[in-house]
Amino acid sequence: MEFIKTPHINVLDDIGFGKTLLMPGDPLRSKFIAENFLENPVAVNSVRGVNGFTGYYKGTKVSVMASGMGMPSIGIYSYELYKNFGVQNIIRIGSAGSISPDCKIGDIVAGMGSCTNSSFGNQYGLDGTVAPVCNFDLLSAAKQIADEKKYSFKTGLLFSSDTFYDDTRSSLDWAKMGCLAVEMESAALYLTAQRLGMRALTICTVSDLCYPPFDALSAEERQNSFTEMMELALETAVMTDGLPHLEPKE
């Protein structure tokens, strides 16, 4: 396909992106995944320091590129990747804070849906509230792989917050609606994918407890736990590579 370059992504034409793209928030985590998991990785984007790489994992062409922090940022990158660069599946991989006793430090949480306090969905002009949900095929594959590998894996609702420092600590209130953990990107990713008719999934590792005793992973524990999440996302990319081709909706 012919890529339509944007102010945020200026990919190498002869390499491009894979059908599935992993999307951590941190550009350095993109680099880590490329260097430690992908065969023959090539840097394909560095605009604004947002590292993007394309390589192969078990013979499947896969890309990884950072989203930055928050819904406006992932909303821009995911829209352009789906619309202009041939990406069909985006798997967000990040950290999350538990707001439910059912979700422990080190658990991997896949967001079936994403509640949010953001007004991101207002742009669609709907007379009601749109429900941001993941793609079932991606979720089903991730669940199967996690069960086979015996990961501590939970599926449920995420709370996607527009604020990190929140005076009201209102994130905890979302637990009563079944939300397991709080993060800051999944709602915008899901809504963008739904609008364009593409596929998305968010997988997070619980790095912190947002309620007493306010525990958190150490730096070494984060590295080990996040590696499991990265491998899960890559294996999901391989398993779902044969899904039907999609074209973004107008």
Side-chain angles (χ1 to χ4, degrees), residues 91 110-112 133-149 153-156 190 199-203 232-233 235-240 243:
I91 303 176
M112 294 190 297
V133 295
C134 75
N135 173 263
F136 178 78
D137 291 320
L138 296 181
L139 177 61
S140 179
K143 176 70 166 60
Q144 180 180 332
I145 294 162
D147 287 348
E148 290 172 354
K149 293 181 175 291
F153 183 82
K154 304 287 177 61
T155 59
Y190 288 0
R199 305 182 188 99
L201 177 65
T202 293
I203 302 173
L232 175 58
E235 293 289 342
T236 301
V238 172
M239 180 177 285
T240 58
L243 289 174

Side-chain angles (χ1 to χ4, degrees), residues 41-56:
V42 177
V44 293
N45 185 70
S46 61
V47 178
R48 294 173 175 252
V50 176
N51 296 326
F53 302 87
T54 294
Y56 288 84

Side-chain angles (χ1 to χ4, degrees), residues 114-116 118 121-122 126-132 191:
S114 181
C115 299
T116 185
S118 170
N122 290 356
L126 300 171
D127 186 17
T129 302
V130 61
L191 289 169

Side-chain angles (χ1 to χ4, degrees), residues 80-169:
E80 293 180 358
L81 287 164
Y82 286 137
K83 192 78 172 177
N84 295 358
F85 296 99
V87 173
Q88 298 176 53
N89 312 318
I90 294 179
I91 303 176
R92 162 166 152 65
I93 49 174
S95 59
S98 172
I99 57 176
S100 167
D102 295 330
C103 201
K104 310 298 184 185
I105 289 282
D107 283 350
I108 299 174
V109 181
M112 294 190 297
S114 181
C115 299
T116 185
N117 60 2
S118 170
S119 60
F120 191 93
N122 290 356
Q123 65 180 293
Y124 305 118
L126 300 171
D127 186 17
T129 302
V130 61
V133 295
C134 75
N135 173 263
F136 178 78
D137 291 320
L138 296 181
L139 177 61
S140 179
K143 176 70 166 60
Q144 180 180 332
I145 294 162
D147 287 348
E148 290 172 354
K149 293 181 175 291
K150 301 187 185 309
Y151 291 154
S152 180
F153 183 82
K154 304 287 177 61
T155 59
L157 288 172
L158 295 170
F159 172 57
S160 200
S161 178
D162 249 349
T163 52
F164 186 86
Y165 298 107
D166 188 336
D167 277 359
T168 67
R169 293 186 55 80

Side-chain angles (χ1 to χ4, degrees), residues 6-59:
T6 76
H8 316 105
I9 303 173
N10 192 7
V11 71
L12 297 177
D13 287 330
D14 57 336
I15 299 172
F17 291 108
K19 179 178 183 176
T20 299
L21 181 139
L22 275 59
M23 184 162 269
D26 185 353
L28 293 180
R29 198 168 295 155
S30 293
K31 188 171 185 288
F32 176 88
I33 295 169
E35 292 177 347
N36 289 276
F37 292 98
L38 298 186
E39 301 167 17
N40 304 315
V42 177
V44 293
N45 185 70
S46 61
V47 178
R48 294 173 175 252
V50 176
N51 296 326
F53 302 87
T54 294
Y56 288 84
Y57 181 78
K58 296 186 176 181

